[in-house]
C-alpha cells in the first residue's frame, strides 16, 4: 500500500505538476515575437550577437498581439554551448492597460547547453516584455529570435525522478508504522545483515553521486586570486608527496625574496602589496610560511597513504578529486560502521530494531557534514574526512572490544586507539573524540582499578590493558611531534598559525564573547529559503568586529541535521537512558563536540566546512538517544511505573503508540527535509554546479 501511494504521488508530480506547462500550452499557437528594440547599453553586432556596453541600460523589448503566457528562446548560430554559457536577465512586463513597466527582481534566463531552459513563464495578461540583462560589461551574448506562446513538450528528468524515488523510499522505510521497527537488529541473520550492507553502500554512494554531478573543475597548478595577488596553493598534497619522496619537510614552491624579507609576512594587506610590487616570483595563499620556506600545515597522513604511494606506483600526481573521492568513501563507510556499532552497544541492554539502525545510518550520513561539502572538491576536506574516518573506525573498534569483553580482546582496543591516534596526523582537533572512551569504558575502568587495588596480578593486568590503550597513541604521536619539531622547532606546533591566509593568524585573538554568535551561526541559524530556484541560498554572517567568516547555509540543526533536534528531548527520555546507562555516553560525545567546536571557532571563525570536524561527534550523541528511544517505543511492551505514570493508564501501550508516531514521524520528515536541502544546496550561488545541469534543474520549475 505505501508503495502504491508513493507511485501515485510521483506520477501526479511528474504528469501534472512538473509538466503543467505541457497542459497549459497544449492548444497554443506559436508566433514569433515583435522585436521592439534595445537599450543604449546593448549593441547589436553582426553574426547574431550583442555586446553589453552598459549593464544599467542593457535591455531588449519584445511584444505580441496576443497575451504572452510562455516564451521560447530560439536557437541561434552564434550560440556556443559550454561551461558558463548562461545568459541572465530580469523581466519587466506591461499589459495593454498599463502605462509603464512593472519590474521583477529575480534573475532568470537560459543556457544554450540546456534545451529546456529556453522556456520561460510570463503570464498575467502581458503583451510586452523587457529582458533586462544581468551580465557584466563587455559580455557577448546571443541575439536570438523569440517565440511567443510555444507548445512546451512533455519531459521527464532522470535526476528528478531519482530524487523523487529516494524521498519516497525514505518515507516508506522510516515511517512510524514500518515493519522494520518490529525486526530486531541481528547481524548473524542474512535477512537482517543485507539491508544494513545495502544502507551502508547507499550512504557512501550518495555523497559520491553528488560529487560526480557537480564535477568540480580541477587545475593541476595553483590558481591565481586577484584579491590577494597570490596563487592558491591547491596542489599542496601533491607537493607534500614530492617532499616526502625526496626526504624533506618543506614544499618546493619558489619563494619570493620580498616576501621572505617582510617583518610580518602574515599581514595580509602588506603581503598583497608586496606581491603586487614584486610580481616576478609568485606568492602563495593558504599555505604555511616559516623561516623563508613553505610548508603544509594540513595533516601529513593523506600524503603518506594516498598521494606518495600513487606517485611511486604510477609516476604521476594523484588528482585532488580522486583524493577527495577516496577520503569521502572511507569516512562514509567508517561513520556508517560507527552507527551500526552504537546500535549493537545499546542493544546489549535493550533491543534495537533494524529500522532504527537503518535510520541511524542514514541520519549519520546527512549529519556528519561530508555530503554537504563534497561538491566543492576542495583539497581542504581530504584531511578532515580522513580524520573523521579514522576517529569513527577507532570508536567502532573500541565498541567491538567492549562487546566482546575488553580484557579478552585487547588487540581490538589497541587497534581502536591506533585509529583514533592517527587523527592527529590528519586534523589534530578531531583527536578530542578520544574522550568518548571515558564514558564508554567507565565500568571497565572502575573494575580494573578496584581489582588492581587489592591484587598484584590484577594490577599487572590493569597495567597491560592501559598499555594497550595508550601505547598506540605514543607510537603515532612521537613521529608526528618529531615532524613538527623538524618544521617549526616545537613538538606541538602543527603550523596552522603560520598560514598565509586572509588575516594574520599569528596575532589574531578574537573576543571570547563572539562564541555566543558562533554557536547560533553554526547550530541554530535558520536557512535562507525563498520561492525561487534553487530555493536555498547562502547568507552572510553579521559580525560586530572583524572575524574570519564565510557564507553559511544555516545552522547545522536546521539544514544538514534537523533530526538532531531530538537531543532537546533528552530530559523526556531520562528514564530510558538511565535504564541502559547511556546518559554518560551522550554527555561524553557532546563534551567532545563542545571542545572541538571551541577550537574551530577560536581559530577559524565561521564556515560550514568546519562542521565536518564535529558533526560525527554530535551524531554519536543523537544516535545513542535514538536507539534508546527505539528500545522504549518500539521494543517489547512492559508494564512499568514509568510508563504508567506518563500514560496515565495501567499499561504502556497507549503511550508507546503516541511516542512512536511522534518521534519516528518527525524523524522521517526531518530526514526527508535534510535530503531535499542537501540536493537543492548543490545549486545555490557559489557552488560549482555545471551550467547545463543547473539550468536543466531550474527548468523543472518553469511553471512557477
Amino acid at each position: 500500500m505505501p508503495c502504491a501511494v508513493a507511485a501515485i504521488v510521483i506520477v501526479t508530480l511528474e504528469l501534472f505538476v512538473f509538466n503543467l506547462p505541457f497542459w497549459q500550452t497544449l492548444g497554443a499557437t506559436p508566433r514569433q515575437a515583435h522585436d521592439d528594440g534595445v537599450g543604449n547599453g546593448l549593441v547589436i553586432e553582426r553574426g547574431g550577437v550583442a555586446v553589453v556596453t552598459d549593464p544599467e541600460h542593457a535591455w531588449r523589448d519584445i511584444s505580441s498581439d496576443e497575451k504572452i503566457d510562455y516564451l521560447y528562446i530560439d536557437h541561434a548560430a552564434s550560440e556556443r554551448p559550454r561551461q558558463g554559457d548562461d545568459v541572465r536577465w530580469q523581466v519587466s512586463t506591461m499589459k495593454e492597460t498599463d502605462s509603464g513597466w512593472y519590474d521583477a527582481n529575480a534573475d532568470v534566463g537560459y543556457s544554450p547547453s540546456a534545451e529546456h531552459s529556453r522556456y520561460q513563464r510570463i503570464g498575467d495578461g502581458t503583451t510586452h516584455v523587457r529582458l533586462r540583462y544581468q551580465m557584466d560589461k563587455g559580455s557577448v551574448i546571443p541575439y536570438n529570435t523569440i517565440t511567443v506562446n510555444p507548445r512546451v513538450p512533455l519531459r521527464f528528468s532522470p535526476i528528478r525522478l531519482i530524487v523523487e524515488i529516494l524521498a519516497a523510499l525514505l518515507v516508506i522505510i522510516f515511517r512510524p508504522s514500518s515493519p522494520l521497527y518490529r525486526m530486531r537488529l541481528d547481524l548473524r541473520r542474512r535477512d537482517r545483515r543485507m539491508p544494513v550492507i545495502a544502507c551502508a553502500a547507499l550512504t557512501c554512494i550518495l555523497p559520491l553521486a553528488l560529487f560526480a554531478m557537480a564535477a568540480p573543475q580541477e587545475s593541476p597548478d595553483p590558481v591565481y586570486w586577484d584579491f590577494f595577488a597570490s596563487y592558491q596553493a591547491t596542489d599542496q598534497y601533491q607537493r607534500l608527496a614530492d617532499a616526502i619522496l625526496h626526504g624533506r619537510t618543506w614544499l618546493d614552491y619558489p619563494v619570493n625574496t620580498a616576501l621572505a624579507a617582510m617583518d610580518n609576512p602574515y599581514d595580509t594587506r602588506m603581503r598583497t602589496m608586496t606581491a603586487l610590487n614584486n610580481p616576478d616570483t609568485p606568492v602563495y595563499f593558504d599555505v604555511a610560511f616559516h623561516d623563508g620556506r613553505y610548508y603544509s600545515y594540513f595533516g601529513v597522513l593523506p600524503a603518506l597513504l594516498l598521494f606518495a604511494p600513487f606517485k611511486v606506483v604510477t609516476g604521476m600526481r594523484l588528482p585532488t578529486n580522486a583524493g577527495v573521492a577516496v577520503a569521502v568513501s572511507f569516512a562514509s563507510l567508517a561513520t556508517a560502521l560507527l552507527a551500526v556499532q552504537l546500535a549493537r552497544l545499546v542493544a546489549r541492554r535493550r533491543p534495537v530494531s533494524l529500522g532504527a539502525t537503518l535510520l541511524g545510518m542514514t541520519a549519520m550520513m546527512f549529519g556528519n557534514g561530508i555530503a554537504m561539502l563534497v561538491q566543492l572538491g576542495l583539497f581542504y576536506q581530504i584531511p578532515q574526512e580522513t580524520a573523521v574516518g579514522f576517529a569513527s573506525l577507532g570508536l567502532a573498534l573500541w565498541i567491538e572490544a567492549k562487546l566482546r569483553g575488553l580484557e579478552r580482546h585487547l588487540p581490538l582496543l589497541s587497534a581502536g586507539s591506533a585509529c583514533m591516534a592517527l587523527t592527529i596526523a590528519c586534523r589534530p582537533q578531531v583527536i578530542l573524540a578520544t574522550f568518548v572512551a571515558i564514558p564508554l569504558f567507565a565500568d571497565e575502568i572502575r573494575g580494573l582499578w578496584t581489582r588492581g587495588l587489592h591484587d598484584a596480578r590484577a594490577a599487572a593486568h590493569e597495567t597491560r590493558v592501559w598499555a594497550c590503550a595508550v601505547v598506540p597513541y605514543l607510537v603515532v604521536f612521537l613521529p608526528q611531534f618529531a615532524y613538527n619539531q623538524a618544521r617549526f622547532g616545537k613538538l606541538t606546533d602543527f603550523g596552522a598559525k603560520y598560514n598565509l591566509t586572509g588575516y594574520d593568524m599569528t596575532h589574531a585573538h578574537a573576543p571570547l564573547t563572539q562564541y555566543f554568535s558562533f554557536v547560533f551561526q553554526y547550530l541554530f541559524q535558520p536557512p535562507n529559503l525563498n520561492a525561487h530556484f534553487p530555493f536555498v541560498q547562502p547568507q552572510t554572517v553579521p559580525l560586530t568586529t572583524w572575524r574570519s567568516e564565510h557564507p553559511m547555509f544555516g545552522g547545522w540543526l536546521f539544514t544538514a541535521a534537523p533530526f538532531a533536534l531530538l537531543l532537546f528531548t533528552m530530559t523526556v527520555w531520562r528514564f530510558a537512558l538511565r535504564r541502559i546507562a547511556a546518559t554518560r555516553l551522550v554527555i561524553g560525545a557532546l563534551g567532545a563536540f563542545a571542545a572541538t567546536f571551541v577550537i574551530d571557532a577560536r581559530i577559524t571563525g565561521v564556515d560550514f566546512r568546519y562542521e565536518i570536524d564535529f558533526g560525527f561527534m554530535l551524531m554519536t550523541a543523537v544516535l545513542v538517544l535514538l536507539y534508546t528511544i527505539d528500545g522504549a517505543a518500539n521494543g517489547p511492551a512492559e508494564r512499568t511505573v514509568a510508563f504508567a505514570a506518563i500514560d496515565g493508564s495501567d499499561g504502556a501501550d497507549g503511550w508507546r503508540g503516541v511516542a512512536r508516531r511522534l518521534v519516528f514521524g518527525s524523524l522521517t520528515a526531518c530526514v526527508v527535509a535534510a535530503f531535499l536541502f542537501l540536493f537543492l544546496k548543490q545549486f545555490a550561488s557559489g557552488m560549482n554546479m555545471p551550467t547545463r545541469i543547473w539550468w536543466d534543474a531550474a527548468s523543472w520549475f518553469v511553471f512557477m
Side-chain angles (χ1 to χ4, degrees):
M1 184 64 179
C3 294
V5 172
I8 292 172
V9 171
I10 291 174
V11 169
T12 301
L13 287 173
E14 284 295 314
L15 283 180
F16 302 110
V17 177
F18 293 114
N19 276 296
L20 180 61
F22 168 77
W23 304 103
Q24 291 175 318
T25 62
L26 199 57
T29 303
R31 288 186 173 83
Q32 187 169 321
H34 304 308
D35 198 334
D36 296 338
V38 299
N40 57 21
L42 191 68
V43 177
I44 303 174
E45 296 187 348
R46 293 180 179 178
V49 298
V51 179
V52 176
T53 58
D54 180 3
E56 291 293 322
H57 299 91
W59 67 71
R60 177 185 182 183
D61 292 342
I62 62 169
S63 62
S64 174
D65 298 330
E66 298 180 354
K67 295 177 181 179
I68 302 173
D69 288 325
Y70 284 89
L71 295 178
Y72 177 77
I73 311 303
D74 296 327
H75 289 264
S78 59
E79 292 176 337
R80 297 291 183 270
R82 64 188 184 282
Q83 176 68 10
D85 64 358
D86 51 327
V87 182
R88 294 179 178 268
W89 58 69
Q90 293 178 353
V91 173
S92 297
T93 57
M94 185 166 54
K95 300 190 288 287
E96 292 180 348
T97 56
D98 295 331
S99 58
W101 294 102
Y102 287 82
D103 299 334
N105 60 6
D107 281 5
V108 290
Y110 88 109
S111 166
S113 301
E115 171 62 24
H116 294 283
S117 70
R118 295 176 180 273
Y119 297 94
Q120 183 156 0
R121 183 78 161 114
I122 302 296
D124 195 32
T126 297
T127 55
H128 293 72
V129 175
R130 170 171 288 180
L131 308 181
R132 295 178 285 117
Y133 292 99
Q134 305 299 301
M135 307 293 289
D136 295 332
K137 183 177 180 179
S139 297
V140 179
I141 59 177
Y143 194 79
N144 317 59
T145 58
I146 297 177
T147 298
V148 170
N149 295 330
R151 293 181 180 175
V152 181
L154 196 70
R155 64 170 295 217
F156 298 96
S157 167
I159 294 177
R160 185 176 68 213
L161 188 59
I162 290 173
V163 170
E164 291 169 335
I165 291 173
L166 288 177
L169 285 176
L170 290 174
V171 174
I172 292 170
I173 293 173
F174 300 130
R175 71 192 193 281
S177 59
S178 171
L180 294 174
Y181 296 123
R182 295 190 291 274
M183 301 179 186
R184 291 186 60 170
L185 175 65
D186 185 354
L187 297 180
R188 293 169 298 181
R189 294 180 53 176
R190 188 174 185 276
D191 62 331
R192 308 291 168 87
R193 186 171 64 249
M194 293 309 296
V196 171
I197 294 174
C199 187
L202 287 174
T203 58
C204 179
I205 291 171
L206 182 60
L208 292 177
L210 296 175
F211 186 47
M213 185 172 71
Q217 299 296 306
E218 181 176 349
S219 173
D221 299 310
V223 178
Y224 186 73
W225 280 10
D226 292 323
F227 187 79
F228 296 108
S230 302
Y231 285 83
Q232 186 189 21
T234 54
D235 62 340
Q236 282 189 52
Y237 269 117
Q238 289 85 355
R239 300 256 183 174
L240 184 54
D242 291 339
I244 291 170
L245 295 177
H246 288 87
R248 60 173 186 265
T249 60
W250 45 272
L251 308 182
D252 63 346
Y253 291 119
V255 178
N256 188 306
T257 55
L259 173 70
M262 289 180 64
D263 293 333
N264 181 18
Y266 314 108
D267 180 349
T268 304
R269 300 290 174 259
M270 183 58 68
R271 186 177 73 247
T272 301
M273 293 302 300
T274 300
L276 289 172
N277 294 330
N278 300 272
D280 292 341
T281 304
V283 171
Y284 293 89
F285 188 85
D286 261 353
V287 61
F289 186 74
H290 182 69
D291 286 345
R293 282 179 170 168
Y294 289 106
Y295 297 88
S296 176
Y297 70 89
F298 297 97
V300 69
L301 190 59
L304 290 170
L305 294 180
L306 294 176
F307 291 86
F310 187 86
K311 184 69 177 288
V312 170
V313 173
T314 67
M316 300 182 295
R317 288 182 163 189
L318 178 70
T320 298
N321 283 349
V324 170
V326 172
V328 166
S329 300
F330 172 53
S332 297
L333 290 174
T335 52
L337 175 61
L338 175 59
V340 175
Q341 290 292 80
L342 289 169
R344 294 179 64 222
L345 180 66
V346 173
R348 290 185 313 151
R349 301 186 178 180
R350 188 74 181 181
V352 175
S353 69
L354 177 62
T357 305
L358 299 180
L359 178 59
M361 296 171 69
T362 304
M364 175 64 88
M365 184 269 294
F366 290 123
N368 62 24
I370 293 171
M372 186 69 73
L373 178 66
V374 65
Q375 79 177 101
L376 293 178
L378 300 173
F379 82 94
Y380 307 96
Q381 68 197 81
I382 294 176
Q384 286 182 284
E385 290 156 358
T386 306
V388 169
F390 276 114
S392 300
L393 183 57
L395 285 173
L397 288 169
W398 279 345
I399 293 172
E400 188 65 24
K402 184 179 180 71
L403 292 174
R404 295 190 183 190
L406 177 63
E407 298 180 31
R408 298 191 306 275
H409 292 86
L410 293 181
L412 285 172
L413 175 65
S414 296
S417 294
C419 288
M420 188 64 72
L422 287 172
T423 61
I424 203 168
C426 304
R427 185 76 168 170
Q429 53 265 52
V430 179
I431 195 70
L432 292 170
T434 293
F435 292 108
V436 177
I438 296 175
L440 177 64
F441 293 122
D443 294 336
E444 288 80 0
I445 293 172
R446 189 182 302 111
L448 287 168
W449 174 258
T450 301
R451 292 192 298 272
L453 286 176
H454 302 94
D455 183 78
R457 182 176 297 180
H461 178 68
E462 179 185 7
T463 302
R464 188 162 57 252
V465 173
W466 279 106
C468 289
V470 174
V471 168
Y473 280 88
L474 298 178
V475 171
V476 174
F477 280 21
L478 292 178
Q480 177 65 54
F481 289 162
Y483 181 58
N484 293 346
Q485 180 73 33
R487 295 183 300 165
F488 307 119
K490 188 176 179 181
L491 294 175
T492 57
D493 192 344
F494 292 86
K497 64 183 179 181
Y498 307 120
N499 186 22
L500 301 183
T501 186
Y503 66 105
D504 185 350
M505 292 184 68
T506 59
H507 300 95
H509 303 287
L512 294 178
T513 51
Q514 284 192 335
Y515 286 129
F516 293 106
S517 63
F518 290 165
V519 169
F520 177 78
Q521 298 294 343
Y522 268 113
L523 298 179
F524 298 103
Q525 172 68 52
N528 182 7
L529 304 180
N530 56 48
H532 178 63
F533 183 83
F535 310 112
V536 299
Q537 289 295 350
Q539 52 194 0
T540 56
V541 179
L543 297 171
T544 54
T545 57
W546 187 91
R547 190 75 175 101
S548 176
E549 60 88 14
H550 297 79
M552 297 280 287
F553 286 104
W556 182 80
L557 287 166
F558 293 98
T559 56
F563 38 79
L565 291 167
L566 185 69
L567 286 171
F568 293 94
T569 69
M570 272 187 63
T571 55
V572 176
W573 299 99
R574 281 182 303 174
F575 72 93
L577 289 166
R578 279 199 302 266
R579 182 184 298 133
I580 62 172
T583 304
R584 62 195 181 196
L585 187 56
V586 173
I587 294 175
L590 292 177
F593 147 71
T596 308
F597 173 84
V598 168
I599 292 174
D600 274 349
R602 180 69 172 169
I603 296 175
T604 60
V606 181
D607 191 335
F608 76 96
R609 62 191 172 97
Y610 299 123
E611 293 173 357
I612 291 179
D613 293 340
F614 52 76
F616 81 102
M617 300 180 192
L618 276 170
M619 285 307 305
T620 297
V622 172
L623 295 192
V624 172
L625 180 58
L626 167 63
Y627 298 146
T628 302
I629 295 172
D630 174 67
N634 291 319
E638 58 182 36
R639 299 166 65 90
T640 66
V641 174
F643 280 133
I646 296 173
D647 186 55
S649 64
D650 293 333
D653 289 339
W655 177 87
R656 285 156 54 84
V658 172
R660 181 166 51 246
R661 288 190 291 272
L662 285 177
V663 173
F664 290 93
S666 61
L667 287 176
T668 300
C670 288
V671 166
V672 173
F675 170 63
L676 295 178
F677 188 93
L678 174 64
F679 177 77
L680 292 171
K681 175 272 317 173
Q682 295 266 109
F683 301 90
S685 59
M687 309 305 281
N688 57 341
M689 182 58 61
T691 300
R692 179 187 61 80
I693 297 178
W694 195 100
W695 284 98
D696 187 73
S699 69
W700 300 348
F701 304 95
V702 66
F703 63 88
M704 297 179 64

